[in-house]
């Protein structure tokens, strides 16, 4: 059995930042990152628009209190305000630290870090590296992993979190290169496995965003918090769904319907295109429903709206958002200097996740913690985003909480021994799981079942929801789960068997999808991204609380947890 002081699952921004901090705190600790992709291919690398922090480089009137207020209001008052305070107060410091590590931020004329407008933020506070911000940050972090001597297991897939009697002891991992299965024990384990966009059929996320960490935690008896809050980004490029960054609107682009009107006037007259994402996505869907969407030939009644950059001019487009121009040009043949881009909402971000306290310790219930288990980044719910995340706050969460959780882990493992662990049963179970998949020679193909599942989630639990459609969706998921036992693989080899990985990922997606549906059915109100047509109002009297959903094969149990409100009293949300 292998062993390390600390294992971090995931090499994106959250996992990498935590690893660096552990090594900075105590260089003698033996830290390993395990990632199913190479760390540099984590979804963080695709982040475009930027990272928020009150540096006051462009807007001297800004303050951390204003950033905190915007975040809480954006969250529809479901964010925990103590966690938001940490996020916004520590933000300037983590940005300067990243810059010292070598991150190449875009600059103002005078050499200071540039900052742009972003949806739901009252001031220009989003730092950026053109529209490739994630790329700039992740590359420096990964360079630093090497410098600090963090061991990296890249292209190893973690199949299981080993949790015994409320305590995390190790992991089961599978080497994609040759099919080797290994058990690793550690004094502390951190989940930094990112999001689950692939639960839906149209998403901005990469193929690896399959919610594995969430499913592993749920299978180990850990609850998942606020899973009903799924962010649909307003501007996914039609029809492919890839992201056109909010930075494009931050730099001045307009949303127009088939009549050429800037329809946001009717939904958020003050903030217009820079309203928060939940409001903007609903507005686009309502325009499309009302027949004011656009067709490919430009006529009305179609499935998308227009994102119009033309008035910005070629120079600004090419210097501030060159990657978005390139995506539209390459993927749908639109030259945004001369034509509007076709866009509609796309599944983008998970506000919910593995419940943690502000040191990243994973909760077992509203008032108890697990031992040895930590989480940060998109897979975690601390909760700084509540019911709706503001753009550029996620990268910030990854680095603020990555750093904080790294320091907490370094303290936690001091004077702790490696846990006692009998590896054999876990090794045998994992081997059997692979064998079962290989043994089947006929049945259903993975791609077919995954498509049915993604279509089901998109149809029954998308931007707008009702009791009847979600119950129907949940019943359908049960049928699809039964079908999972009949999937079979064409490739039964050990070398780079991506079909096997997809089969295991599909199981993660199905657990996560069921948790989203069950949590969404329980929340009988509309708040943030959770929009119920049968309960259109926010209901603070009954639902100003976090959902905690527990998974079991027999069904899902839902409990609640209080929200920390210590600064801003809930008010009606208007933009
Ligand atoms: C296209 C796009 C643009 C975005 N733009 C912005 C932006 O401008 N600003 C902003 O604030 N946010 C943005 N976001 C959101 C933000 O990028 C993510 O929320 C954030 O980067 C997530 O980082 P992470 O470290 O939590 O996870 P990720 O970067 O997703 O990394 C997850 C890691 O976990 C590993 N992993 C997962 N499962 C397993 C397993 N079973 N075994 C082993 N390893 C595993 C993966 O290999 C990977 O290394 C964007 C998101 C997308 C999709």
């Amino acid at each position: 059995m292998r062993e390390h002081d600390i294992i971090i699952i995931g090499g994106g921004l959250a996992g990498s930042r935590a690893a660096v901090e552990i090594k900075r705190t105590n260089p003698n600790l033996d830290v390993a990152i395990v990632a199913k992709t190479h760390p540099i291919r984590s979804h963080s690398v695709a982040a475009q628009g930027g990272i928020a922090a009150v540096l006051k480089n462009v807007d001297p009137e800004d303050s951390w209190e204003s950033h905190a207020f915007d975040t809480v209001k954006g969250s529809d008052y479901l964010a925990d305000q103590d966690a938001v305070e940490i996020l916004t107060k520590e933000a300037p410091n983590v940005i300067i630290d990243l810059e010292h590590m070598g991150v190449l931020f875009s600059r103002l004329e005078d050499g200071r870090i540039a900052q742009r407008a972003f949806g739901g933020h009252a001031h220009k506070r989003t730092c950026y590296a053109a529209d490739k911000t994630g790329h700039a940050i992740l590359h420096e972090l990964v360079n630093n992993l090497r410098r600090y001597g963090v061991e990296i297991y890249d292209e190893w897939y973690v199949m299981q979190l080993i949790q015994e009697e409320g305590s995390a002891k190790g992991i089961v991992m599978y080497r994609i290169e040759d099919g080797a299965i290994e058990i690793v024990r550690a004094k502390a384990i951190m989940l930094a496995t990112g999001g689950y966009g692939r639960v839906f059929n149209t998403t901005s996320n990469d193929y690896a965003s399959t919610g594995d960490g969430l499913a592993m935690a749920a299978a180990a008896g850990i609850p998942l918090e606020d899973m009903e809050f799924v962010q649909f980004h307003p501007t996914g490029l039609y029809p492919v769904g890839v992201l056109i960054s909010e930075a494009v609107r931050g730099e001045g682009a307009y949303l127009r319907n088939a009549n050429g009107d800037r329809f946001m006037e009717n939904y958020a007259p003050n903030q217009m295109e820079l309203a928060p994402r939940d409001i903007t996505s609903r507005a686009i869907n309502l325009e499309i429903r009302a027949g004011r969407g656009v067709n490919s030939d430009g006529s009305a009644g179609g499935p998308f709206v227009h994102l119009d950059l033309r008035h910005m001019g070629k120079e600004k487009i090419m210097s501030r958002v060159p990657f978005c121009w390139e995506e539209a040009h390459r993927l749908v043949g639109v030259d945004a200097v001369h034509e509007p881009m076709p866009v509609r909402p796309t599944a983008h971000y998970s506000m919910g996740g593995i419940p943690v306290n502000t040191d990243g310790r994973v909760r077992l219930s509203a008032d108890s913690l697990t031992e040895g288990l930590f989480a940060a980044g998109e897979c975690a719910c601390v909760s700084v985003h509540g019911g709706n995340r503001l753009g550029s706050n996620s990268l910030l969460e990854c680095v603020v909480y990555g750093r904080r959780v790294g320091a907490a882990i370094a303290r936690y493992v001091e004077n702790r021994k490696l846990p006692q662990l009998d590896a054999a049963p876990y090794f045998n179970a994992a081997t059997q799981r692979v064998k079962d998949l290989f043994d089947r020679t006929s049945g259903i193909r993975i791609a077919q079942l995954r498509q049915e599942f993604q279509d089901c989630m998109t149809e029954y639990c998308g931007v707008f929801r009702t009791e009847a459609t979600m119950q129907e969706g949940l019943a359908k998921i049960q049928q699809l789960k039964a079908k999972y036992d009949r999937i079979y693989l064409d490739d039964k080899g050990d070398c780079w068997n991506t079909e096997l990985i997809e089969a295991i990922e599909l199981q993660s997606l199905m657990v996560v999808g069921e948790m989203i549906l069950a949590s969404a059915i329980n929340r009988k109100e509309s708040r943030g991204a959770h929009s119920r047509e049968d309960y259109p109002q926010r209901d603070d009297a009954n639902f100003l609380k976090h959902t905690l959903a527990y998974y079991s094969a027999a069904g899902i149990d839902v409990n609640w947890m209080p929200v920390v409100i210590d600064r801003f009293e809930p008010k009606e949300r208007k933009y």
Side-chain angles (χ1 to χ4, degrees):
M1 179 166 48
R2 287 181 197 248
E3 52 194 45
H4 292 282
D5 289 326
I6 298 147
I7 299 167
I8 298 173
I9 313 174
L13 236 58
S16 297
R17 186 61 191 83
V20 165
E21 198 61 23
I22 294 168
K23 283 293 202 177
R24 280 182 177 174
T25 310
N26 182 352
N28 297 322
L29 287 171
D30 165 16
V31 185
I33 285 187
V34 185
K36 66 180 176 179
T37 58
H38 188 282
I40 278 178
R41 292 187 59 238
S42 305
H43 187 60
S44 293
V45 85
Q48 301 178 348
I51 177 165
V54 177
L55 297 180
K56 306 190 195 185
N57 290 355
V58 174
D59 194 342
E61 301 296 300
D62 203 0
S63 64
W64 76 261
E65 289 91 340
S66 166
H67 187 185
F69 173 71
D70 292 345
T71 302
V72 169
K73 182 180 173 189
S75 82
D76 222 345
Y77 293 90
L78 193 68
D80 286 322
Q81 298 183 12
D82 55 342
V84 172
E85 180 169 339
I86 291 169
L87 180 83
T88 52
K89 264 188 180 163
E90 292 187 5
N93 194 267
V94 295
I95 298 293
I96 301 301
D97 183 49
L98 286 175
E99 129 127 320
H100 290 176
M101 279 189 215
V103 175
L104 290 168
F105 287 108
S106 294
R107 301 282 161 178
L108 298 171
E109 288 282 301
D110 64 7
R112 289 176 303 154
I113 294 174
Q115 298 190 278
R116 59 164 54 126
F118 240 74
H121 291 279
H123 297 275
K124 287 188 175 175
R125 61 168 76 102
T126 297
C127 312
Y128 57 94
D131 50 359
K132 302 173 185 173
T133 312
H135 185 275
I137 302 177
L138 189 63
H139 276 246
E140 281 318 322
L141 280 176
V142 172
N143 279 340
N144 275 275
L145 293 180
R146 307 233 181 260
R147 181 173 139 224
Y148 284 108
V150 173
E151 180 152 359
I152 299 174
Y153 294 90
D154 57 77
E155 295 168 344
W156 284 77
Y157 184 95
V158 178
M159 296 173 73
Q160 191 189 349
L161 169 69
I162 301 179
Q163 165 105 349
E164 292 176 351
E165 290 127 27
S167 183
K169 297 187 168 176
I171 58 168
V172 181
M173 61 182 196
Y174 172 95
R175 183 159 59 198
I176 302 174
E177 188 184 11
D178 63 2
I181 291 173
E182 296 215 23
I183 313 295
V184 198
R185 62 175 178 155
K187 297 173 186 172
I189 293 164
M190 176 180 174
L191 293 156
T193 47
Y196 57 61
R198 291 280 148 193
V199 162
F200 296 90
N201 64 15
T202 307
T203 175
S204 66
N205 286 191
D206 71 353
Y207 285 97
S209 296
T210 52
D212 298 342
L214 299 165
M216 265 185 262
I222 291 157
L224 298 184
E225 181 174 346
D226 292 344
M227 290 298 284
E228 60 274 36
F229 296 101
V230 179
Q231 179 162 81
F232 292 87
H233 194 292
T235 55
L237 190 64
Y238 177 83
V240 281
V242 307
L243 189 71
I244 298 298
S245 173
E246 194 168 295
V248 175
R249 280 171 288 137
E251 297 290 355
Y254 300 147
L255 284 167
R256 295 186 190 277
N257 60 20
N259 306 330
D261 297 332
R262 286 178 68 192
F263 56 86
M264 286 308 292
E265 245 168 15
N266 303 324
Y267 302 91
N270 297 321
Q271 296 254 348
M272 294 292 288
E273 280 84 359
L274 288 177
R277 293 177 179 174
D278 54 340
I279 292 171
T280 313
S281 286
R282 278 195 289 275
I284 293 174
N285 276 16
L286 288 171
E287 290 296 304
I288 293 171
R289 267 193 193 179
R292 294 189 289 273
V294 190
N295 280 306
S296 301
D297 62 4
S299 61
F304 58 83
V305 296
H306 276 146
L307 181 65
D308 191 354
L309 288 73
R310 290 173 293 184
H311 58 283
M312 288 163 57
K314 186 169 179 181
E315 200 190 315
K316 188 168 184 187
I317 293 172
M318 291 310 189
S319 64
R320 303 284 176 84
V321 288
F323 184 64
C324 292
W325 179 87
E326 187 196 316
E327 275 188 323
H329 193 248
R330 183 165 42 89
L331 297 169
V332 297
V334 166
D335 174 356
V337 172
H338 302 293
E339 311 155 77
M341 295 180 184
V343 294
R344 73 166 174 194
T346 186
H348 182 60
Y349 183 81
S350 159
M351 267 76 71
I354 300 160
V356 292
N357 70 10
T358 53
D359 280 336
R361 286 277 301 272
V362 172
R363 298 179 195 277
L364 208 46
S365 66
D367 46 22
S368 67
L369 299 171
T370 52
E371 286 299 329
L373 190 61
F374 295 78
E378 190 168 339
C379 73
C381 182
V382 59
S383 139
V384 288
H385 310 301
N388 172 64
R389 166 175 81 89
L390 294 189
S392 72
N393 266 353
S394 166
L395 293 180
L396 181 64
E397 178 191 9
C398 288
V399 285
V400 166
Y401 280 95
R403 175 171 85 162
R404 200 179 160 84
V405 175
I409 294 174
R411 290 194 300 273
Y412 181 87
V413 297
E414 255 175 47
N415 305 320
R416 253 170 211 272
K417 285 201 213 134
L418 282 163
Q420 293 296 325
L421 180 62
D422 179 7
Y426 295 103
F427 179 84
N428 294 341
T431 309
Q432 190 61 42
R433 189 173 171 193
V434 173
K435 187 172 177 298
D436 285 347
L437 284 165
F438 284 172
D439 280 352
R440 245 170 275 141
T441 50
S442 65
I444 305 171
R445 284 181 190 281
I446 298 165
Q448 184 197 333
L449 183 59
R450 187 174 52 215
Q451 190 65 53
E452 281 181 39
F453 165 76
Q454 291 170 331
D455 290 345
C456 168
M457 286 301 297
T458 308
E459 186 176 342
Y460 298 104
C461 204
V463 173
F464 292 108
R465 301 162 174 187
T466 66
E467 182 80 24
T469 50
M470 288 191 292
Q471 291 292 2
E472 218 175 302
L474 199 57
K476 194 131 194 249
I477 297 271
Q478 302 309 326
Q479 295 164 11
L480 296 175
K481 267 168 68 183
K483 282 192 185 175
Y484 185 88
D485 295 333
R486 293 183 14 237
I487 58 169
Y488 76 100
L489 315 182
D490 288 318
D491 184 353
K492 301 183 197 296
D494 287 330
C495 176
W496 265 96
N497 192 334
T498 49
E499 211 188 355
L500 176 71
I501 299 299
E502 284 179 37
I504 303 175
E505 286 175 341
L506 178 55
Q507 197 156 32
S508 301
L509 290 175
M510 291 177 119
V511 170
V512 171
E514 197 180 345
M515 291 290 256
I516 294 171
L517 265 165
S519 305
I521 288 170
N522 259 271
R523 187 173 286 276
K524 298 188 188 333
E525 64 157 354
S526 289
R527 180 187 299 274
H530 177 62
S531 186
R532 297 233 358 197
E533 290 181 289
D534 43 358
Y535 299 96
Q537 302 304 324
R538 189 174 90 192
D539 177 0
D540 285 348
N542 294 303
F543 291 102
L544 184 52
K545 53 191 179 184
H546 296 294
T547 303
L548 283 186
Y550 292 80
Y551 188 82
S552 83
I556 292 167
D557 291 323
V558 178
N559 279 329
W560 305 99
M561 187 167 71
V563 180
V564 179
I565 298 172
D566 58 10
R567 189 173 284 270
F568 308 110
E569 278 307 313
K571 283 198 269 198
E572 195 193 347
R573 197 165 156 248
K574 279 200 182 140
Y575 287 95

